[in-house]
Amino acid sequence: MSATAAELHCSFTSDYIESEAVDIDDSGNYKKLRRNDESIRAVAKFQAGGYALETVACSYGTRLFTTGLVMQDDKTSLWYYDACGVIRTKESLSLFDDFEQIAAILVAFACCEPSQWGSLPPNIVKPPRSSPYPESFPPNNLKGYTLEMTLPEGGNKVRVTLQDPIFTRYSLTGRRTFLYAIKTNSRKFRKPMVAKFSYQVTTRKREQDILEVAREAGVGHLPEVHMWEDFWTMSEGVRAIFFDRCGPDHEYEDRVFRGIVYSQYFPLKDLFSKSCELIPTMVYQMLDCLHDLRYKAKILHRDISANNIMWEMQGEEVVFKLIDFDFATFVDDEGKATDATARSKHRTGTLAFMAFELVKDMAHRDNPLCEPVFHLLHHDFESLYHLSAYSMIVIPEGEDADKRELYRESVWLCENGMMQQIAACKALSWEWRRMRSLRLPPQSEPLRPWLLRFSDLLYAAQQKVRIHDMDESVLFDHETMGGMLTRDVITSVLKGESVVTYGDVSFVPVPQEACGSDTSHEEMIEEKATIQNESTKLAPERRAPAKKATAKGKKVATAKAITPKKIAAKASKTKDTASKAKLVVTSGTMTAQALMRRGPTTRSMTKNALIVG
């Protein structure tokens, strides 16, 4: 029931057409036969789900639940939807035989108050005093509503007032995450903050607890958490009625409505819409973060996506933050989840960015011959690749709507359709012919060689796994795919310090001043590349503008003057000094060009590689 409205509409249309039986009368004309009961039920369920989805998702968290009434022929059933799932009655009431009861139900619906239509508990989430409810329920958003949260230190209560809505997840069941900008009555908080609300499974680790462990372990690039609160559980509300009448449901997982307050960060689209030059910086920083999460704190994030990585300015540098640890879990020494509830009934990840192996596992989950796949660290690393491609294709502003739509077509198949189709599309996401012919916006075209290096590494890792499958007697580290997908290897390949071959990575020795081998991954240093080109005309032309642009950037960029729009403009005009990608040059050509082994290296491709490093 978490499909989009378009998916529900397509499914409804498809079921309707496929269920249309035809016959030929005596005159040779086609005539439609009456659809069978199963097809009618399918259409009704899709309609009911579509209506409920629109009712719940059209606003920013204003409804706790919604109800519906479905009629199939003369039979009627009542439906109830909340974040835990769907409950419906049997089709026992007949419009003809039980008309009085059905009429009474309709009258009862007409007399319902907002709390009976699913409004949030007014004693916890309080509406504005000026207007408790709008003329019609539900309101468009919760702006002006207030609630109380407790400070982790001291236990003092803080009144939180919701401001403008920021984000809402388009879903019917599940977490239903939504975000608001907030204000508080506490003088302690001066920085802009946002409140994230969601319906979390009660058996999962709390997000704030996971973040605390990670922060104590010394993991960087984490969001700053100020306070949190668990407001109510779903079993305390309407669902208590079902439990009293029907008993416990083993398929049911209780959820808690939870709020957590973060410092406010900026979305990727504010940074990458004008320029894509900081995409490598994002990847390098997230590689550090994911690596440290796994090996310092024994945590896997398991949901790398465009919405879960944000950024802020720290002085003159752009620093990316990994947020939303709802799917995160603690792991053992082999990198597998230690909490059984964290892998029982939930997929991990956002479909468009999920690793191929995880999508394939979902597509064949009902096949008893297929072994289940555990989410490992290399799956998060692969999600970074999908996020990079997505950021280069979808986020940049296009010249017109039609062109932008063409770019979107490149990723649409990876998040729509049947799971088998999505898995097949994912399998081609690093295929070299496809990646070379992939259409990119002008802003991200210079990064194509960098993305090709990433895709080559993933392809080589898959080849190494296949080689191992032929001889399973050899020890193999599945978490890193035989050592191919680690933080250090990925960084080295992307920066041109290593060369990918089929199923292997070869280190390319380079001078220390060229590769910056004495610099840790967590340091942010200024790029100092010396380009040795046989053409004496090109070398001065490349060096002089770079120095000028860097100097200019230092004069303009200050902590007080930086805004999301200004940093986007800066990234589009100046060279990416924050990425620190090192240029490795031998006889005027980068050694990284050896990564593009399955096709010719043209002069223009070499120039682009020199530009992006």
Side-chain angles (χ1 to χ4, degrees):
M1 286 297 184
S2 60
T4 63
E7 290 174 320
L8 288 167
H9 174 74
C10 293
S11 301
F12 160 70
T13 306
S14 174
D15 286 349
Y16 182 86
I17 294 175
E18 291 177 359
S19 63
E20 291 288 353
V22 297
D23 195 7
I24 302 177
D25 59 19
D26 295 337
S27 61
N29 298 322
Y30 287 95
K31 63 178 182 179
K32 294 182 179 179
L33 299 179
R34 192 175 186 276
R35 287 171 287 140
N36 56 43
D37 291 341
E38 291 298 325
S39 63
I40 293 175
R41 292 192 185 96
V43 171
K45 291 178 181 178
F46 277 118
Q47 283 182 310
Y51 294 149
L53 176 65
E54 292 296 332
T55 302
V56 170
C58 67
S59 54
Y60 289 82
T62 58
R63 297 192 77 135
L64 175 60
F65 63 84
T66 185
T67 55
L69 186 147
V70 177
M71 300 192 68
Q72 301 175 2
D73 287 344
D74 66 319
K75 300 295 184 180
T76 302
S77 61
L78 302 178
W79 293 62
Y80 167 88
Y81 307 84
D82 64 18
C84 296
V86 180
I87 299 176
R88 69 182 181 93
T89 65
K90 295 180 179 179
E91 296 91 350
S92 57
L93 296 178
S94 170
L95 180 63
F96 305 116
D97 300 334
D98 306 293
F99 178 78
E100 293 81 2
Q101 296 184 47
I102 294 179
I105 292 173
L106 296 177
V107 172
F109 274 133
C111 296
C112 283
E113 297 180 353
S115 61
Q116 296 167 314
W117 282 115
S119 66
L120 302 182
N123 61 322
I124 299 177
V125 182
K126 301 177 182 179
R129 296 180 179 179
S130 58
S131 56
Y133 290 103
E135 295 180 358
S136 60
F137 177 81
N140 294 330
N141 55 63
L142 299 175
K143 184 175 182 179
Y145 282 58
T146 59
L147 46 86
E148 286 189 343
M149 302 184 76
T150 306
L151 290 175
E153 298 179 359
N156 296 327
K157 292 290 185 179
V158 175
R159 186 174 71 251
V160 176
T161 303
L162 305 184
Q163 302 298 302
D164 292 328
I166 297 175
F167 169 82
T168 183
R169 188 176 298 278
Y170 194 75
S171 62
L172 180 57
T173 61
R175 292 180 294 163
R176 288 188 184 176
T177 304
F178 57 95
L179 277 72
Y180 279 85
I182 65 168
K183 289 184 178 180
T184 71
N185 64 340
S186 174
R187 297 180 180 180
K188 179 180 179 180
F189 304 114
R190 299 185 181 276
K191 296 175 62 176
M193 296 183 297
V194 298
K196 167 190 169 184
F197 301 96
S198 57
Y199 297 88
Q200 299 291 335
V201 176
T202 55
T203 53
R204 284 185 179 270
K205 298 290 186 182
R206 299 190 307 175
E207 183 175 7
Q208 58 267 27
D209 296 336
I210 295 177
L211 284 170
E212 183 179 1
V213 172
R215 193 174 299 279
E216 291 180 352
V219 180
H221 302 283
L222 300 178
E224 186 178 7
V225 180
H226 301 285
M227 53 185 171
W228 53 83
E229 193 81 24
D230 289 350
F231 295 102
W232 69 80
T233 57
M234 301 296 294
S235 59
E236 295 174 348
V238 177
R239 282 194 173 258
I241 301 174
F242 299 108
F243 290 145
D244 293 340
R245 293 193 176 187
C246 305
D249 183 0
H250 298 292
E251 296 297 322
Y252 166 79
E253 288 184 296
D254 200 6
R255 290 181 178 269
V256 57
F257 183 72
R258 179 172 295 154
I260 184 169
V261 174
Y262 292 104
S263 296
Q264 187 172 17
Y265 304 107
F266 302 112
L268 294 181
K269 64 179 181 180
D270 289 353
L271 193 62
F272 298 153
S273 60
K274 299 294 184 181
S275 172
C276 295
E277 293 186 23
L278 289 176
I279 290 178
T281 306
M282 173 190 70
V283 171
Y284 301 145
Q285 292 185 14
M286 287 301 102
L287 285 171
D288 284 336
C289 179
L290 294 172
H291 175 273
D292 290 347
L293 275 173
R294 164 63 183 91
Y295 295 106
K296 290 183 178 180
K298 290 189 175 181
I299 294 172
L300 282 184
H301 185 272
R302 307 197 306 176
D303 191 14
I304 305 300
S305 68
N307 291 325
N308 290 345
I309 296 179
M310 306 189 80
W311 64 278
E312 69 171 354
M313 291 301 302
Q314 292 184 5
E316 298 181 6
E317 303 292 348
V318 176
V319 176
F320 292 89
K321 299 287 185 176
L322 181 62
I323 66 170
D324 195 350
F325 282 69
D326 290 341
F327 281 158
T329 185
F330 291 97
V331 297
D332 57 21
D333 292 337
E334 296 181 354
K336 296 181 180 180
T338 57
D339 189 355
T341 59
R343 60 175 184 268
S344 58
K345 301 177 183 180
H346 307 276
R347 85 178 187 204
T348 51
T350 303
L351 197 55
F353 310 98
M354 287 176 63
F356 159 69
E357 194 176 27
L358 297 176
V359 178
K360 185 178 69 171
D361 177 59
M362 293 176 60
H364 300 92
R365 183 162 294 180
D366 296 332
N367 188 343
L369 300 178
C370 294
E371 296 183 2
V373 175
F374 293 96
H375 195 132
L376 299 173
L377 179 60
H378 74 80
H379 293 128
D380 281 357
F381 287 161
E382 183 183 330
S383 292
L384 276 179
Y385 166 77
H386 295 301
L387 173 59
S388 300
Y390 177 91
S391 300
M392 293 168 59
I393 296 170
V394 177
I395 296 181
E397 295 180 354
E399 295 180 0
D400 51 61
D402 294 337
K403 189 173 183 179
R404 183 175 177 83
E405 189 65 25
L406 289 175
Y407 297 150
R408 289 186 179 275
E409 289 178 2
S410 301
V411 297
W412 186 87
L413 291 176
C414 289
E415 55 183 346
N416 293 276
M418 304 295 291
M419 280 299 168
Q420 292 85 348
Q421 297 171 327
I422 296 176
C425 180
K426 288 277 186 178
L428 299 175
S429 60
W430 51 71
E431 202 276 329
W432 71 275
R433 290 188 181 86
R434 181 177 184 273
M435 295 309 300
R436 292 183 187 284
S437 60
L438 184 68
R439 287 180 292 179
L440 296 175
Q443 300 96 312
S444 56
E445 182 60 41
L447 280 177
R448 184 187 296 273
W450 180 88
L451 186 64
L452 285 172
R453 295 200 285 272
F454 212 157
S455 65
D456 281 352
L457 180 59
L458 292 173
Y459 179 84
Q462 292 293 332
Q463 295 301 313
K464 193 159 189 173
V465 172
R466 292 174 184 174
I467 293 173
H468 167 262
D469 291 342
M470 299 177 184
D471 184 10
E472 296 185 355
S473 61
V474 180
L475 293 178
F476 189 81
D477 182 13
H478 288 279
E479 186 177 16
T480 63
M481 300 187 79
M484 293 287 289
L485 297 184
T486 67
R487 185 269 310 270
D488 293 338
V489 170
I490 296 174
T491 303
S492 179
V493 168
L494 293 181
K495 293 184 177 182
E497 299 165 7
S498 300
V499 176
V500 179
T501 58
Y502 286 96
D504 204 357
V505 173
S506 302
F507 178 72
V508 179
V510 292
Q512 180 174 339
E513 57 272 14
C515 71
S517 58
D518 60 335
T519 304
S520 69
H521 291 280
E522 297 178 357
E523 290 180 339
M524 299 294 291
I525 62 172
E526 186 173 306
E527 177 184 9
K528 294 181 180 180
T530 303
I531 302 177
Q532 300 174 356
N533 198 301
E534 293 180 353
S535 174
T536 57
K537 296 182 179 180
L538 290 177
E541 295 175 358
R542 291 186 183 276
R543 286 197 295 266
K547 291 182 179 179
K548 183 177 180 181
T550 303
K552 182 178 179 180
K554 286 185 178 180
K555 292 180 180 179
V556 174
T558 61
K560 295 182 179 180
I562 292 294
T563 64
K565 293 184 179 180
K566 288 182 179 180
I567 187 60
K570 174 188 174 184
S572 64
K573 294 180 180 179
T574 64
K575 185 152 179 67
D576 175 20
T577 59
S579 70
K580 315 306 172 292
K582 310 171 195 69
L583 297 177
V584 185
V585 183
T586 303
S587 300
T589 304
M590 290 181 62
T591 57
Q593 292 299 321
L595 300 174
M596 296 182 285
R597 61 192 178 285
R598 305 187 193 98
T601 301
T602 65
R603 182 183 181 92
S604 61
M605 292 167 63
T606 304
K607 290 181 178 180
N608 287 336
L610 288 169
I611 294 174
V612 301

